[in-house]
Amino acid sequence: MPALQPYSGSVRKLVLGIDVGTTYSGIAYAILDPGEVPIIHGVTRFPGQESAAGDSKIPSILYYNPDGSVACAGAEAALPGMDLEAEDNELVFVEWFKLHLRPERLDAGEIKRRDLPPLPRGKTVVDVFADFLAYLFRCAKRYICETHANGDSLWSSLEDRIEFVLSHPNGWEGAQQGKMRQAAVMAGLVPQTPAGQARVHFITEGEASLNFCIQSGLTNETMRAGQSVMIVDAGGGTVDISSYGFISVSPLAVEEVTSADCILQGSTRINARAEAHLKELLKESAFGNDEDIKSMLDYFDKATKPVFKDEKESSYIKFGSMGCNDPKVKIRRGQLMLTGEDMLSYFQPSLDATVSVIEKQRKNATRTLSTVFLVGGFAASPWLYASLKHRLEDLDLTLCRPDSHTNKAVANGAVCFFLEHFVSARVMKMTYGIKVVVDYDPADPEHLQRAANTYMRQSGRVVVRDAFSSILKKGMRVRETEEVSQPYVQEAHDSRTLDSVVTDIVAYRGPGADPRWMDLTPELFTPLCTVAADTSRVARVTRQGPKGVYYEQHFNVVLLCGLTELQAQISWTEDGIERRGPAKIVYDDDLEASQ
């Protein structure tokens, strides 16, 4: 188990790791004193959860008042009698809100946005995310103030120097990170300034779980140079699967050995399939009303689902009273019997999808994988663990499940990420590039068939539209400090139009790594973000073209891609020296339109 290094910063800081999960959330933190080795703590006391002190997770749920303000959240929203209070005061219940943030293309065949519990009227997913972040932040403040000596003065000395690390599923991209940063500002975690927003960092749930496993000593047996491990983080909304190789042990250096995956097959899908089945089963029964089905699903989630372990046995859902009977649908004395086949139909798709991705990663990994760690809340399922263990034995993979099911893994691993960057290289999941024009070559058959899609530039060059220039290729391993650049040439009759550049970074999501043309499969190319930069300081050369004088400008767009968040700069040469300037990345707001 690698020891954390003494904090090398010059001023005292607080780092908060916040894991907003689909069903449960957690918080971890470390106080950073210059020269001292940090200790990572979990927040283990939450309002409304005093009877379960020591628990490091709370439900990701809220109640809203009719005026749109938050009535209560977390464990307080799950207290006995809250449903009656909600009915009396017309409160609106919100759960699974995190899934509204997901990219549309992620597992689109499995879940549609309309299938999710709705957001309150007038609220966006960012609004709800911000409200819940604000609640978690208050919980963290209260816990630190109550737990540490002179806690109030400690907090007031640190509250302007808090670094936040927010975790998200492997499948979330820059647009989702942008929404989460926006929510952090709305929640009052940081001010809406460049310096404030720079205090918000991101890490994937898969990498955070790896950090936790390393820091907790869980990977000691496999942590030898040349060995590799897979992390399967099975949560409420997603199953995140990542594979890593240990390049060296001292100092510890870890690299992704294949690109990470994310599937929407977490434990909430079990609930969704159970709900669909119950509605169909009970449509002719007196107990097929919304109230009884809600009561059944609540019991299923809390009592039936967690203990299911064997499809040879029947499972039961308690609801109503002893007088509730309907033999036709196996309801007797207030209990609905589910066969092993019924339960299997809820669970099996999640297992099959997870095994399919594990097989894919094992096949594509650049190093041999032998050990799989199963973490996350869904990992506690005895059926999932036993079934996955059996399936993986056929693949010569050993499955390990930490005793605690590592509910706190992601929040702790997020703090660890801020302190120690164990993962030094990540594998690109898709190809990033830009739409370009290329010089027309009539001898090239691909150019010839696009002869109608050509035009003449100011220089007199004839160019073909819809070409694609790859900057970062799928499967490419990128180190944290690595950057890639793309040279640009701009031409214009009016010099002033060269004072800025705006270009779309396009993601190619097809099977290949280096496509040449965007017009062949346009549906596989999606805008990832827009890079905008001030090029007014970049030199321009005066040229003579067939239509008179024009201006030409050369520069590079630089992408820094080895981190957990895409960053961009612009570079140019001035008097033989490379100059750099900031470039702003703007993500398309495609969330509201797709509600």
Side-chain angles (χ1 to χ4, degrees):
M1 182 173 81
L4 291 173
Q5 298 301 305
Y7 175 55
S8 59
S10 57
V11 293
R12 194 181 212 194
K13 272 187 179 180
L14 171 66
V15 55
L16 276 180
I18 300 179
D19 169 33
V20 177
T22 302
T23 50
Y24 288 95
S25 297
I27 314 167
Y29 68 96
I31 296 164
L32 311 184
D33 285 306
E36 299 288 320
V37 176
I39 299 171
I40 300 174
H41 306 272
V43 173
T44 56
R45 266 196 321 274
F46 292 94
Q49 210 159 272
E50 287 77 8
S51 62
D55 201 343
S56 57
K57 60 173 190 170
I58 56 164
S60 303
I61 54 176
L62 307 91
Y63 275 106
Y64 280 94
N65 291 308
D67 65 0
S69 60
V70 176
C72 59
E76 291 172 297
L79 289 173
M82 260 314 299
D83 51 344
L84 299 177
E85 192 176 319
E87 197 175 305
D88 293 342
N89 298 308
E90 298 182 341
L91 305 183
V92 178
F93 180 66
V94 180
E95 63 176 347
W96 303 1
F97 59 87
K98 176 181 173 179
L99 292 181
H100 284 273
L101 193 60
R102 68 179 179 82
E104 283 301 302
R105 68 201 143 267
L106 182 64
D107 239 7
E110 172 62 25
I111 179 172
K112 300 287 187 288
R113 202 167 289 276
R114 63 176 176 272
D115 299 331
L116 298 174
L119 298 173
R121 184 171 296 169
K123 293 276 183 184
T124 66
V125 62
V126 176
D127 295 331
V128 178
F129 213 94
D131 288 335
F132 199 70
L133 276 180
Y135 171 76
L136 293 177
F137 186 49
R138 290 194 299 273
C139 291
K141 176 181 178 179
R142 174 176 153 172
Y143 182 84
I144 291 170
C145 289
E146 289 179 354
T147 306
H148 292 264
N150 303 314
D152 290 333
S153 58
L154 170 71
W155 182 269
S156 58
S157 70
L158 292 171
E159 60 184 339
D160 293 329
R161 291 200 301 275
I162 303 175
E163 302 283 344
F164 296 90
V165 186
L166 306 183
S167 59
H168 60 76
N170 293 353
W172 268 217
E173 296 171 2
Q176 287 71 44
Q177 291 177 337
K179 291 291 175 188
M180 290 169 71
R181 180 173 273 117
Q182 189 183 335
V185 171
M186 289 171 62
L189 273 57
V190 294
Q192 193 164 10
T193 61
Q197 294 190 44
R199 288 196 279 122
V200 179
H201 315 269
F202 298 101
I203 184 170
T204 63
E205 288 166 10
E207 189 173 320
S209 297
L210 172 79
N211 288 346
F212 175 81
C213 289
I214 290 173
Q215 200 52 48
S216 304
L218 300 172
T219 55
N220 282 359
E221 292 301 308
T222 54
M223 213 164 68
R224 292 189 293 274
Q227 294 286 92
S228 299
V229 298
M230 184 183 292
I231 305 289
V232 176
D233 181 0
T238 59
V239 179
D240 294 284
I241 302 164
S242 328
S243 298
Y244 301 94
F246 295 101
I247 307 306
S248 70
V249 176
S250 185
L252 183 62
V254 184
E255 293 184 357
E256 281 188 346
V257 294
T258 186
S259 57
D261 284 286
C262 175
I263 51 175
L264 285 168
Q265 289 289 359
S267 62
T268 55
R269 291 294 88 210
I270 314 299
N271 297 40
R273 288 189 277 268
E275 181 177 7
H277 175 239
L278 290 178
K279 283 181 175 176
E280 178 62 27
L281 177 71
L282 303 175
K283 64 184 179 184
E284 305 295 336
S285 170
F287 305 107
N289 58 80
D290 289 347
E291 201 167 302
D292 279 331
I293 286 180
K294 182 183 183 304
S295 175
M296 291 177 195
L297 289 169
D298 285 345
Y299 186 90
F300 175 84
D301 185 54
K302 293 180 175 68
T304 312
K305 180 176 75 169
V307 300
F308 171 60
K309 62 180 185 294
D310 190 346
E311 56 266 36
K312 297 184 183 71
E313 298 174 2
S314 298
S315 298
Y316 293 88
I317 295 176
K318 288 183 182 178
F319 76 101
S321 67
M322 296 282 280
C324 295
N325 293 284
D326 188 343
K328 291 198 296 293
V329 288
K330 299 177 185 168
I331 292 176
R332 185 174 160 219
R333 298 168 77 181
Q335 292 190 71
L336 167 67
M337 190 191 89
L338 293 169
T339 66
E341 269 186 25
D342 291 335
M343 293 296 287
L344 206 55
S345 72
Y346 310 155
F347 278 80
Q348 192 74 43
S350 290
L351 174 70
D352 290 345
T354 301
V355 172
S356 176
V357 175
I358 289 172
E359 287 179 323
K360 184 191 99 175
Q361 289 213 1
R362 181 170 170 265
K363 178 185 170 188
N364 294 339
T366 54
R367 292 168 179 262
T368 303
L369 290 159
S370 57
T371 308
V372 177
F373 284 91
L374 179 64
V375 300
F378 193 17
S381 162
W383 184 88
L384 179 69
Y385 171 69
S387 302
L388 191 56
K389 185 178 176 67
H390 177 69
R391 294 277 290 272
L392 295 190
E393 282 170 357
D394 295 339
L395 300 173
D396 290 328
L397 292 170
T398 303
L399 183 67
C400 305
R401 179 179 61 170
D403 286 341
S404 63
H405 311 312
T406 57
N407 282 321
K408 60 184 181 178
V410 173
N412 280 48
V415 175
C416 185
F417 165 73
F418 185 84
L419 303 174
E420 305 278 350
H421 284 211
F422 293 135
V423 178
S424 58
R426 297 173 180 86
V427 177
M428 302 309 299
K429 290 187 283 190
M430 64 196 90
T431 294
Y432 294 160
I434 54 169
K435 186 176 184 176
V436 294
V437 295
V438 292
D439 287 342
Y440 179 63
D441 178 4
D444 185 327
E446 290 186 329
H447 286 218
L448 196 59
Q449 69 187 47
R450 291 173 173 83
N453 201 16
T454 59
Y455 71 97
M456 183 183 287
R457 300 192 75 172
Q458 285 89 344
S459 56
R461 291 162 48 216
V462 176
V463 292
V464 190
R465 297 182 180 91
D466 292 329
F468 184 74
S469 173
S470 300
I471 302 176
L472 272 169
K473 294 178 183 176
K474 180 180 178 179
M476 182 176 168
R477 184 175 284 105
V478 184
R479 302 196 172 279
E480 278 208 330
T481 54
E482 199 169 335
E483 56 186 43
V484 292
S485 65
Q486 179 69 36
Y488 271 84
V489 180
Q490 286 200 121
E491 297 176 5
H493 282 302
D494 184 347
S495 174
R496 288 170 300 181
T497 61
L498 301 179
D499 285 347
S500 63
V501 60
V502 177
T503 187
D504 285 337
I505 304 294
V506 176
Y508 172 67
R509 303 177 189 277
D514 192 15
R516 287 189 61 190
W517 301 100
M518 294 178 66
D519 55 1
L520 290 175
T521 52
E523 70 281 0
L524 297 178
F525 294 87
T526 54
L528 182 78
C529 59
T530 302
V531 176
D534 179 352
T535 51
S536 57
R537 292 170 55 202
V538 181
R540 54 214 70 185
V541 181
T542 307
R543 304 272 193 207
Q544 186 70 39
K547 296 180 181 177
V549 172
Y550 73 96
Y551 300 90
E552 189 177 88
Q553 187 183 52
H554 294 254
F555 57 90
N556 295 307
V557 171
V558 183
L559 295 182
L560 295 83
C561 323
L563 302 164
T564 53
E565 189 176 7
L566 187 68
Q567 296 176 359
Q569 293 178 341
I570 186 167
S571 74
W572 66 94
T573 303
E574 192 177 298
D575 300 327
I577 301 170
E578 186 196 53
R579 306 287 185 187
R580 291 261 173 134
K584 187 178 181 184
I585 290 183
V586 180
Y587 290 96
D588 292 336
D589 185 4
D590 60 353
L591 292 167
E592 311 308 327
S594 54
Q595 291 285 347

